[in-house]
Amino acid sequence: MAAEIIDGKAFAARVRVRVADEVLRLKAAGVNPGLAVVLVGEDPASAVYVRNKGRQTREAGMESFEHRLPADVSEADLLSLIHRLNVDDAVHGILCQLPLPAHVDAAKVLAAVAPAKDVDGFHVSNVGLLGTGQKAMVPCTPLGCLMMLRERLGNLAGLEAVVIGRSNIVGKPMAQLLLGDSCTVTIAHSRTRDIEAVTRRADIVVAAVGRPEMVRGDWIKPGATVIDVGINRAAGTGGKDRLLGDCHFESCAEVAGAITPVPGGVGPMTIACLLANTVTAACRANGLAEPEGLTA
Ligand code: NDP
């Protein structure tokens, strides 16, 4: 194996330390950063995410407000909670855990979150700000990928980047962020012709597809940096699931200069960036200097 393994767990731990330092600075200025997480229903995976988010928020010294609503909550009641959180000065970030039950219009709920508190970066205002190169709240997963790329590669200007996947949550914002750092960006998707050849041009490959081990070593340019966002569950030994990325790790690691593993790569960065976004939102809300290195 030639590639350096990018340790997302260790990186995320360093981000959380930086966040905790910033929280102390904010508290010294009289601001107590707070994150509200809204969970609707009993989806077990969502409940685990929400628990982890709450724990890490408190460990960073921030206030965590958890709102658990029954699966049959009406859309009106959910919207009214979001409106209350929007005007609550103790809350600097609001995250509504997806997926929402089918009877709730998720787009309507995400649009109801005040853009300044939209720490997920999904509100169309933030999408527009990011797309026009202005200060936005940036979606957590692509922000984490950008931080890892900057740390490994320094200045990204002029590098060829291929983002595989064009979702609103990962692919598109990732491409915008790389463009913002002056990469030459290609977005590949299910209709891309000769995706192997397109990917082989890239100094930076970000795979966000949801297809286990789709990207093979012979798609990778020697020395490229490979960021694997994919989380795919496959049957493992002893009846336990194992997680696979969108990249075939062994063959890609033979060729790449650096690669993120799955698990332990991008995954841990997502919550760390949620905390970073909450600190950024608290700074902006109070006219304080934003932390360096925690935003795009
Ligand atoms: P989506 O399903 O929303 O998007 C997948 C994208 O991949 C689409 O744009 C689709 O193209 C493209 N695609 C599908 N099949 C192919 C193919 N054969 N060749 C090329 N492109 C293809 O997924 P997400 O963006 O939400 O998530 C992607 C992956 O990242 C998933 O595994 C998810 O679990 C993981 N993820 C991980 C996170 C983390 O914290 N680490 C956070 C969020 C997601 P088209 O648009 O043409 O259909």
Side-chain angles (χ1 to χ4, degrees), residues 141 164-167 170 189-190 195 208-211 214 229-232 246 266-267 270:
T141 300
I164 313 179
R166 55 175 163 178
S167 72
V170 189
H189 47 78
S190 67
I195 194 165
V209 185
R211 292 189 180 261
M214 183 184 85
V229 182
I231 301 179
N232 306 287
D246 289 339
V266 175
T270 298

Side-chain angles (χ1 to χ4, degrees), residues 148-163:
M148 291 195 285
L149 286 166
R150 282 177 176 168
E151 181 173 90
R152 170 162 163 79
L153 297 170
N155 186 353
L156 307 184
L159 295 178
E160 287 275 349
V162 171
V163 178

Side-chain angles (χ1 to χ4, degrees), residues 113-131:
V113 175
K117 298 189 179 187
D118 170 37
V119 282
D120 253 341
F122 294 161
H123 194 288
V124 286
S125 293
N126 283 313
V127 176
L129 289 168
L130 178 62

Side-chain angles (χ1 to χ4, degrees), residues 37-57:
V37 177
V38 180
L39 174 64
V40 181
E42 308 287 336
D43 177 55
S46 296
V48 171
Y49 289 139
V50 167
R51 218 173 23 247
N52 286 340
K53 283 169 185 166
R55 180 174 49 76
Q56 293 189 28
T57 304

Side-chain angles (χ1 to χ4, degrees), residues 191-202:
R191 308 293 292 274
T192 298
R193 286 195 207 139
D194 200 355
I195 194 165
E196 294 90 333
V198 169
T199 308
R200 256 193 306 273
R201 293 203 305 254

